């Protein structure tokens, strides 16, 4: 009788719990009906509900029905087999013994949202667990944790997964409750509805709205009492709705009309009890104890996890993509889970993309598609006017290019005091998770979604869009101009001049073209000497109009405009874009003549001569060069005169007139020494050494190298010293004096290491004087020239790029890897060949193509013969000593 009664009581409890939590399926019967039901009705109930065997037996016993008779036509054994296979809707709490206590695993809250496509976050979950539970005693250690982060970043999903894991691991909670404070209006839901639901859940239905008074303090007191009596787990989701909006100073503070919530939250975290509270919020609390509440800022997923998330969407949505494209998409959105989900759906549904991720990456330069824009709107609507203004103005900064500090933000907000900026605006934006501070980079950061949204705020009205945007960019470039720089002599790498490059960028955005041009004029020589040709082209191109060929200009001064065109011509010549270079220089020349600027004329003519030389139009080159020389002498510009002489000498060299070339170089050397043009003296000496080395006149070359050494000591230029050692090494290699050659090669490479340690690989200038012969370890040779190739390619230094490929070809040839060698020689030759004038280097590439092709033994003999013929033709035209080697190979080939 007692056992039967216990079974009945247990059945009543189970059914009542099921009714209260609505865990039965929609066709399950209410308890009153079950209590008076027939066996047939119970049979239907059993068939419609997924419940475990022991639960069903308890229900039958509770209503006085023999459970074995419920299933007509089935015996007990069949029911025994069926019932355990049915998955439970609400499993019986598991009992575990710890010490003298029995701990029950809690049931999952019914309002808790599902977890779908959760990837990563294991570190965050481990952190939360360690904050909630002591690893050894499993005792509750702190009062509350708060997950904060951007809308859609995954706070709710993480909290839901955490609760599930705590239940699975039998965490010491007897009951769990989940309430969301999110609402369609953005306002917190009615206080009574939330606390009444909490009381009902935590009391297992014993405390309802009907049994409590309406006073919020009394209800809070009852709730806290429950938290004291037994360990409970509370999750309050989207609690930012109880916080103040529209006031920077009160960001993170409770709204005035949410005083009940303020009382509740403070009591929850500041009153001693044995329970745990988990908050999720888009904003940080300012009024809750930092000791009692542990905050965990939630960032985007790591790239690997974000790609895994996208791959799950890829399979569901049938996206066409690659791992690289998914990684690029993940990085573009910085691992924001909701954004990636929405974008994946857009890529599938939008007819323009047809599920192709690559097409989306190419076609969409903006991040905020409509659905994501609406999500971010929910955040921005809570901002104050000052916060919105600050956020929009600092959105113009490229924080990936240069750290954003308080001074940079202050430059955008001159209308507010330093105190108000730091204590209200910056603090407010940080609490709203819209402005993040990276300790490692010592920089404020904006999430790309926030930055794009904030930047759109600069353009509220097309009629006034430019003024707001111009103001922010103008204040930005003035800020960067105020940043102290090293002296020009100390510049070693791009980072040393980064503020000026960013000044140029913001000045262009503000359409302050004169300021942009000034910034470039300061760094032009450094970038030019550092072979940053592609960068220079991009910078200068931004400060001329599209219709520049028609004489239009952006800068105020026509002289400055002519100078910009001249620099573009010079840069385009170095990267091999000869027709474009010629167009720029001719327009520069026309502008200089129009404004009567003879110096500009002479400069443009000198470079036009070099371009015609590159095009193998040597007569035209000499004509331009002589005209430049004449004007320079008339106006007494000895430096331009000297450059013209050097250019004429180089033209004679390419014509094979070596005597005339050497005479020009020696004349240039005399002028440079007379007027103390140290840089031009180095250039003239370098050219003389080069021509004697090509001609095999090593004793003459050595004589000038000694002068080159003195110049390097005089200028204390370590790069010149490196070049000197390299030249000496090459000369002695050519003379077959390998021991001496290796001595100088070692010294040149030691200087190279010093330069790399001092300035970094990216800051090194490509150096054609160092060759594969300098390296005893050929793998070191490959590493060296691979780096030089990448640097040259990035900077647009075509000759240096081709030379690095040639040296790689020679290295692979020595290693016996002939296929790789041939490939590099082909790539090298194709670049050398782009220059209309035939060169010594082109002849070298053709000869090595012939040699390597013969070693491979798969290249047709006619092709090898063609390589030799073309190399021989260049050598004959330029009277190169290399002719002997080419002709000897041809004889052996026959």
């Amino acid at each position: 009788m007692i056992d039967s009664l216990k079974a009945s009581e247990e059945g009543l409890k189970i059914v009542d719990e099921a009714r209260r939590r609505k865990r039965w399926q929609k066709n399950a019967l209410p308890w009153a009906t079950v209590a008076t039901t027939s066996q047939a009705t119970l049979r239907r109930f059993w068939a419609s509900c997924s419940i475990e065997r022991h639960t069903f037996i308890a229900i039958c016993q509770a209503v006085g029905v023999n459970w074995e008779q419920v299933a007509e036509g089935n015996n007990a054994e069949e029911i025994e087999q069926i019932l355990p296979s049915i998955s439970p809707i609400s499993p019986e709490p598991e009992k575990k013994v710890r010490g003298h206590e029995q701990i029950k695993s809690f049931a999952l809250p019914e309002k808790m949202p599902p977890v779908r496509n959760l990837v990563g976050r294991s570190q965050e979950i481990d952190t939360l667990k360690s904050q909630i539970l002591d690893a050894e005693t499993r005792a509750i250690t702190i009062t509350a944790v708060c997950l904060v982060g951007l809308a859609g970043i995954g706070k709710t999903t993480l909290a839901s997964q955490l609760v599930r894991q705590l239940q699975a691991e039998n965490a010491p909670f007897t009951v769990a409750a989940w309430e969301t404070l999110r609402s369609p209006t953005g306002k917190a839901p009615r206080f009574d509805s939330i606390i009444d639901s909490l009381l009902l859940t935590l009391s297992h239905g014993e405390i309802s709205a009907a049994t409590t008074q309406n006073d919020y303090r009394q209800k809070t007191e009852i709730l806290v009492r429950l938290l004291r009596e037994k360990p409970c787990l509370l999750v309050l989701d989207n609690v930012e709705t109880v916080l103040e909006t529209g006031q920077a100073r009160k960001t993170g503070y409770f709204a005035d009309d949410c005083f009940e919530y303020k009382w509740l939250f403070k009591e929850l975290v500041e009153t001693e009890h044995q329970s745990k509270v988990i908050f999720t919020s888009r904003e940080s609390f300012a009024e809750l104890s930092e000791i009692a509440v542990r905050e965990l800022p939630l960032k985007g997923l790591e790239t690997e996890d974000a790609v895994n998330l996208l791959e799950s969407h890829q399979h569901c949505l049938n996206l066409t993509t690659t791992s690289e494209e998914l990684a690029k998409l993940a990085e573009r959105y910085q691992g924001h889970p909701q954004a990636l989900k929405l974008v994946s759906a857009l890529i599938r549904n939008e007819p323009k993309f047809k599920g192709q991720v690559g097409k989306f990456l190419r076609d969409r330069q903006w991040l905020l598609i409509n659905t994501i824009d609406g999500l971010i709107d929910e955040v921005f609507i809570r901002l104050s006017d000052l916060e919105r203004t600050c956020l929009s103005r600092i959105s113009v900064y490229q924080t990936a290019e240069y750290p954003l500090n308080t001074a940079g933000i202050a430059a955008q907000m001159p209308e507010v005091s330093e105190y108000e900026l730091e204590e209200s605006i910056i603090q407010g934006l940080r609490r709203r998770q819209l402005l993040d501070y990276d300790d490692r980079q010592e920089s404020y950061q904006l999430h790309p979604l926030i930055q794009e949204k904030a930047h759109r705020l600069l353009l509220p009205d097309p009629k006034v869009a430019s003024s707001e945007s111009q103001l922010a960019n103008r204040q930005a470039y003035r800020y960067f101009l105020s940043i102290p720089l090293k002296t020009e002599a100390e510049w070693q790498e791009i980072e040393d001049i980064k503020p000026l490059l960013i000044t140029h960028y913001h000045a262009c955005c503000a359409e302050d073209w004169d300021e942009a041009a000034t910034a470039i004029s300061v760094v032009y020589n450094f970038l030019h000497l550092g072979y940053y040709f592609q960068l220079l082209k991009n910078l200068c191109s931004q400060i001329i109009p599209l219709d520049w060929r028609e004489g239009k200009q952006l800068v105020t001064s026509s002289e400055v405009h002519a100078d910009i065109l001249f620099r573009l011509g010079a840069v385009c010549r170095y990267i091999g874009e000869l027709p474009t270079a010629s167009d720029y220089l001719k327009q520069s020349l026309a502008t200089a003549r129009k404004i009567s600027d003879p110096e500009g004329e002479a400069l443009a003519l000198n470079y036009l001569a070099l371009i015609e030389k590159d095009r193998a139009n040597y007569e035209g080159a000499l004509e331009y060069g002589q005209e430049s020389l004449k004007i320079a002498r008339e106006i007494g510009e000895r430096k331009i005169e000297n450059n013209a002489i050097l250019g004429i000498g180089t033209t004679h060299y390419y014509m094979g007139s070596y005597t005339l070339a050497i005479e020009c170089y020696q004349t240039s050397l005399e002028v440079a020494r007379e007027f103390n043009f140290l840089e031009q003296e180095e250039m003239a000496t370098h050219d003389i050494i080069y021509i004697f080395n090509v001609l095999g006149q090593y004793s003459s070359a050595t004589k000038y190298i000694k002068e080159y050494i003195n110049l390097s000591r005089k200028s204390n230029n370590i790069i010149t010293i490196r070049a000197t050692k390299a030249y000496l090494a090459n000369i002695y290699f050519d003379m077959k004096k390998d021991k001496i050659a290796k001595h100088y090669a070692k010294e040149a490479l030691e200087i190279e290491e010093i330069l790399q340690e001092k300035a970094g690989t990216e800051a090194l200038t490509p150096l054609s004087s160092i060759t594969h012969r300098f390296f005893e370890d050929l793998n070191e040779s490959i590493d060296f020239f691979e780096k030089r190739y990448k640097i040259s390619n990035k900077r647009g230094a075509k000759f240096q790029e081709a030379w690095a490929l040639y040296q790689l070809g020679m290295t692979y040839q020595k290693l016996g890897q002939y296929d790789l060698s041939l490939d590099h020689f082909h790539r090298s030759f194709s670049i050398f060949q782009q220059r209309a004038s035939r060169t010594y280097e082109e002849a070298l590439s053709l000869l090595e193509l012939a040699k390597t092709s013969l070693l491979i033994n798969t290249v047709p003999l006619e092709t090898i013969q063609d390589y030799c013929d073309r190399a021989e033709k260049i050598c004959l035209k330029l009277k190169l000593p290399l002719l002997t080697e080419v002709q000897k190979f041809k004889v052996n080939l026959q």
Side-chain angles (χ1 to χ4, degrees):
M1 183 65 180
I2 295 175
D3 292 338
S4 176
L5 179 61
K6 287 183 178 179
S8 296
E9 289 175 347
E10 181 66 14
L12 287 168
K13 289 180 181 179
I14 291 172
V15 175
D16 188 63
E17 180 72 2
R19 178 194 61 77
R20 190 184 66 77
R21 292 179 171 273
K22 299 179 182 177
R23 303 295 289 182
W24 292 359
Q25 295 181 2
K26 61 182 180 180
N27 57 344
L29 300 174
W31 169 240
T33 304
V34 173
T36 59
T37 190
S38 65
Q39 291 184 12
T41 306
L42 275 176
R43 191 182 307 114
R44 290 197 303 272
F45 165 69
W46 164 58
S48 64
C49 294
S50 297
I51 56 178
E52 287 185 335
R53 171 180 172 277
H54 68 270
T55 304
F56 183 75
I57 294 173
I59 292 172
C60 291
Q61 289 176 336
V63 297
V65 175
N66 188 334
W67 71 273
E68 295 177 349
Q69 297 175 358
V70 170
E72 292 181 348
N74 292 339
N75 58 35
E77 287 75 18
E78 290 175 328
I79 298 175
E80 287 265 2
Q81 293 173 359
I82 294 172
L83 284 172
S85 68
I86 301 176
S87 59
I89 290 180
S90 181
E92 180 186 50
E94 180 184 349
K95 298 180 180 179
K96 290 202 173 181
V97 178
R98 295 187 180 92
H100 298 290
E101 295 181 323
Q102 282 192 338
I103 305 297
K104 288 187 177 181
S105 178
F106 59 91
L108 294 178
E110 68 173 273
K111 294 183 180 180
M112 186 172 68
V115 174
R116 297 188 179 94
N117 292 332
L118 178 71
V119 295
R121 302 300 195 198
S122 58
Q123 183 176 350
E124 290 89 342
I125 287 179
D126 289 343
T127 298
L128 290 166
K129 285 181 184 177
S130 68
Q131 293 174 342
I132 293 171
L133 302 170
D134 183 272
E136 296 181 359
T137 66
R138 307 277 283 178
I140 299 172
T141 56
I142 64 172
T143 307
V145 293
C146 183
L147 293 171
V148 293
L150 284 178
I153 205 69
K155 304 179 293 297
T156 300
T157 299
L158 180 59
S160 182
Q161 180 65 15
L162 173 64
V163 173
R164 294 170 193 278
Q165 287 199 18
L166 290 173
Q167 187 220 36
E169 297 170 9
N170 300 299
F173 299 107
T174 59
V175 62
W178 182 294
E179 294 293 336
T180 179
L181 275 63
R182 182 176 174 81
S183 70
T185 63
K187 296 289 185 179
R190 193 169 57 86
F191 175 79
D192 284 335
S193 67
I194 296 297
I195 196 163
D196 287 345
S197 180
L198 287 173
L199 290 172
L200 187 68
T201 301
L202 298 182
S203 69
H204 294 289
E206 294 177 5
I207 303 174
S208 64
T211 61
T212 60
Q213 299 183 21
N214 291 327
D215 182 79
Y216 70 93
R217 292 176 182 266
Q218 289 181 341
K219 288 185 177 183
T220 300
E221 184 180 347
I222 295 171
L223 180 63
V224 172
R225 189 188 310 144
L226 289 173
L227 301 182
R228 287 197 189 102
E229 291 174 354
K230 54 188 175 183
C232 307
L233 181 62
L234 272 66
V235 181
L236 297 176
D237 195 21
N238 291 109
V239 298
E240 72 277 353
T241 58
V242 306
L243 302 178
E244 191 64 75
T245 64
Q247 298 185 54
R249 292 183 181 181
K250 301 191 75 173
T251 301
Y253 288 79
F254 289 95
D256 292 339
D257 57 355
C258 291
F259 59 90
E260 302 103 329
Y261 282 108
K262 178 177 179 179
W263 178 266
L264 170 66
F265 284 23
K266 281 182 169 290
E267 289 295 297
L268 286 177
V269 303
E270 296 176 5
T271 304
E272 185 177 353
H273 54 73
Q274 56 176 322
S275 299
K276 177 66 187 177
V277 184
I278 300 173
F279 298 111
T280 78
S281 178
R282 296 174 182 177
E283 299 177 8
S284 298
F285 288 113
E287 295 185 84
L288 296 184
S289 167
E290 293 183 4
I291 298 175
V293 181
R294 216 56 79 75
E295 185 177 279
L296 178 64
L298 203 57
K299 308 300 180 186
L301 296 170
E302 297 292 336
T303 301
E304 182 180 353
D305 292 329
V307 169
N308 290 336
L309 178 65
L310 285 167
E311 285 176 343
S312 69
H313 295 323
Q314 174 190 353
H315 297 311
C316 296
L317 303 176
N318 296 319
L319 299 180
T320 304
T321 186
T322 64
S323 297
E324 291 74 17
E325 289 173 347
L326 292 180
K328 189 174 181 180
L329 186 63
E331 290 169 6
R332 181 177 288 191
Y333 285 90
Q334 287 193 0
H336 190 287
Q338 184 69 3
L340 293 175
K341 174 185 175 183
L342 295 171
V343 166
S344 298
L346 172 78
I347 294 171
R348 181 197 64 174
N349 297 329
E350 179 66 50
K352 179 180 180 181
F353 304 123
K354 297 179 180 177
Q356 300 177 54
V357 174
K359 185 169 178 56
F360 173 83
L361 290 170
R362 290 189 299 272
D363 292 357
R364 281 287 170 89
Q365 301 307 312
W366 61 91
L367 302 175
L368 291 172
I369 62 175
N370 287 337
T371 45
I372 301 175
D373 195 29
L375 187 68
I376 304 301
D377 266 336
E378 295 176 7
V379 178
F380 272 66
I381 201 171
R382 298 176 61 84
L383 296 175
S384 67
D385 289 341
L386 282 175
E387 286 174 308
R388 194 175 289 106
T389 298
C390 180
L391 203 59
S392 64
R393 289 181 184 173
I394 65 175
S395 70
V396 302
Y397 289 121
Q398 297 176 301
T399 52
E401 296 292 325
Y402 200 85
L404 174 61
N405 55 24
T406 305
I409 299 175
Q412 293 292 356
M413 298 295 290
E415 65 268 36
V416 301
S417 67
E418 182 180 354
Y419 176 84
E420 185 175 13
L421 177 69
E422 292 202 43
E423 296 301 323
S424 295
I425 301 172
I426 293 179
Q427 183 76 288
L429 290 173
R430 292 193 65 184
R431 283 180 179 156
R432 298 191 197 278
Q433 310 305 307
L434 300 180
L435 187 62
D436 183 41
Y437 188 78
D438 190 321
D439 293 321
R440 292 171 300 177
Q441 299 183 30
E442 297 184 346
S443 171
Y444 286 105
Q445 303 286 332
L446 292 174
H447 190 281
L449 293 174
I450 300 302
Q451 185 159 17
E452 184 174 311
K453 181 67 177 181
H455 196 262
R456 290 186 183 181
L457 296 178
L458 290 176
L459 315 171
D461 184 343
K463 297 179 181 178
V464 297
S466 59
S467 62
E468 287 296 316
S469 180
Q470 283 178 331
L471 173 63
N473 280 288
R474 188 168 294 123
Q475 289 175 161
Y477 79 68
R478 287 172 180 169
Y479 160 67
F480 283 106
L481 281 175
S482 71
I483 296 176
L485 298 178
K486 296 178 181 178
T487 63
E488 190 171 346
E490 296 175 305
W491 292 349
Q492 294 290 337
E493 51 187 320
I494 286 290
E495 288 301 316
D496 295 331
I497 62 167
K498 185 62 74 68
L500 287 173
L501 298 181
I502 301 177
T503 294
H504 168 273
Y505 165 77
H506 287 295
C508 287
C509 291
E511 299 184 0
D512 289 352
W513 309 113
D514 292 343
E515 285 74 9
T518 300
I520 293 309
S521 67
V522 175
V523 299
Y524 177 82
N525 286 335
F526 171 78
L527 292 174
H528 191 273
L529 293 173
Y531 295 83
Y532 292 98
F533 300 132
Q534 194 62 54
L535 176 59
L536 268 175
K537 179 188 175 184
N538 294 338
L539 294 171
C540 292
S541 296
Q542 294 176 50
I543 47 181
I544 61 169
L546 294 175
D547 51 0
W548 58 270
R549 287 183 175 85
E550 300 171 15
K552 306 293 184 179
Q553 63 186 57
L554 295 176
V555 293
T556 305
S557 167
S558 295
E559 186 176 351
V560 172
H561 178 64
D563 189 49
I564 296 167
L565 292 169
F566 165 75
R567 289 172 175 173
L568 275 167
V571 166
C572 287
R573 182 237 169 184
Y574 279 109
I575 61 179
E577 298 176 1
L578 299 183
T580 305
S582 181
D583 288 346
Y584 282 132
L585 289 167
K586 286 178 179 177
Q587 188 60 41
S588 176
L589 178 63
T591 305
R593 284 173 172 167
K594 182 179 178 180
I595 62 175
S596 301
D597 177 17
E599 183 178 341
E601 281 186 74
L603 284 170
L605 286 164
N606 187 36
Y607 263 83
L608 281 167
L610 295 175
I611 288 173
E612 292 308 310
K613 179 265 298 178
D614 292 338
R615 287 173 158 177
N617 178 15
Y618 301 122
E619 296 300 326
L622 288 175
E623 184 178 340
Y624 278 129
Q626 293 293 348
E627 190 176 355
S628 174
L629 180 62
K630 178 183 176 182
I631 294 174
R633 285 174 173 168
E634 287 175 354
I635 62 176
E637 276 291 341
R638 305 309 299 270
K639 187 168 283 190
I640 299 177
E641 173 191 346
N642 207 5
N643 281 332
I645 294 170
L646 281 170
I648 292 169
T650 302
T651 302
H652 283 308
Y653 163 75
Y654 280 103
M655 294 174 70
S657 304
Y658 299 122
T659 302
L660 289 175
I662 291 170
E663 286 178 2
C664 287
Y665 293 148
Q666 288 173 333
T667 301
S668 171
L669 195 56
E670 291 171 4
V671 174
R673 287 170 178 169
E674 179 183 355
F675 294 96
N676 198 29
F677 297 152
L678 188 58
E679 182 182 338
Q680 290 182 314
E681 187 178 354
E682 289 180 352
M683 289 172 60
T685 307
H686 169 279
D687 289 347
I688 292 173
I689 294 169
Y690 180 81
I691 196 170
F692 279 133
N693 198 29
V694 169
L695 294 172
Q697 298 178 21
Y698 302 123
S699 58
S700 298
T702 305
K703 170 190 170 185
Y704 281 96
I705 282 183
K706 291 177 181 178
E707 295 181 9
Y708 205 41
I709 292 172
N710 292 330
L711 283 172
S712 64
R713 289 172 180 167
K714 186 177 179 181
S715 65
N716 196 28
N717 189 334
I718 191 170
I719 295 177
T720 304
I721 296 172
R722 176 189 62 175
T724 303
K725 303 292 185 181
Y727 274 126
L728 280 168
N730 280 322
I731 286 173
Y732 283 111
F733 274 126
D734 289 340
M735 294 170 67
K736 310 301 181 185
K737 296 182 178 181
D738 287 2
K739 186 175 181 180
I740 302 174
K742 287 180 179 179
H743 168 76
Y744 285 116
K746 182 181 178 182
E747 290 186 342
L749 290 174
E750 285 174 353
I751 296 172
E752 188 77 4
E753 287 183 15
I754 293 171
L755 287 170
Q756 184 168 337
E757 289 175 5
K758 184 177 180 181
T761 304
E762 288 300 313
L764 293 177
T765 56
L767 183 65
S768 60
S769 302
I770 291 182
T771 70
H772 67 283
R773 300 182 295 187
F774 282 46
F775 300 90
E776 294 184 5
D777 185 340
L778 295 180
N779 288 320
E780 289 183 9
S781 175
I782 291 172
D783 182 60
F784 180 90
F785 290 112
E786 281 286 1
K787 288 178 181 176
R788 288 307 178 278
Y789 166 73
K790 290 176 182 177
I791 294 170
S792 303
N793 179 266
K794 182 178 180 180
R795 297 177 181 176
K798 289 295 182 182
F799 178 86
Q800 306 294 349
E801 181 183 345
W803 186 249
L805 288 168
Y806 173 83
Q807 296 301 330
L808 283 167
M810 294 297 294
T811 306
Y812 283 119
Q813 189 187 82
K814 290 180 72 173
L815 285 168
Q817 299 180 30
Y818 301 127
D819 287 335
L820 279 173
S821 175
L822 188 65
D823 175 63
H824 283 82
F825 284 137
H826 271 299
R827 291 164 64 191
S828 171
F829 172 70
S830 67
I831 297 175
F832 283 134
Q833 194 181 27
Q834 290 172 13
R835 306 174 71 176
S837 56
R838 305 280 71 86
T839 62
Y840 170 66
E841 290 78 19
E842 186 178 342
L844 273 177
S845 291
L846 284 165
L847 177 59
E848 294 306 327
L849 274 171
K851 289 181 179 179
T852 309
S853 297
L854 187 63
L855 290 169
I856 290 177
N857 201 29
T858 58
V859 180
L861 189 61
E862 294 79 5
T863 302
I864 300 175
Q865 184 69 49
D866 179 61
Y867 291 149
C868 292
D869 291 343
R870 289 157 73 184
E872 184 180 39
K873 186 176 180 180
I874 294 172
C875 291
L876 286 168
K877 183 177 181 180
L878 299 180
K879 304 181 183 67
L880 296 174
L882 184 66
L883 176 64
T884 303
E885 186 177 352
V886 173
Q887 291 177 336
K888 182 179 179 180
F889 182 79
K890 284 185 68 175
V891 171
N892 292 335
L893 186 65
Q894 292 171 354

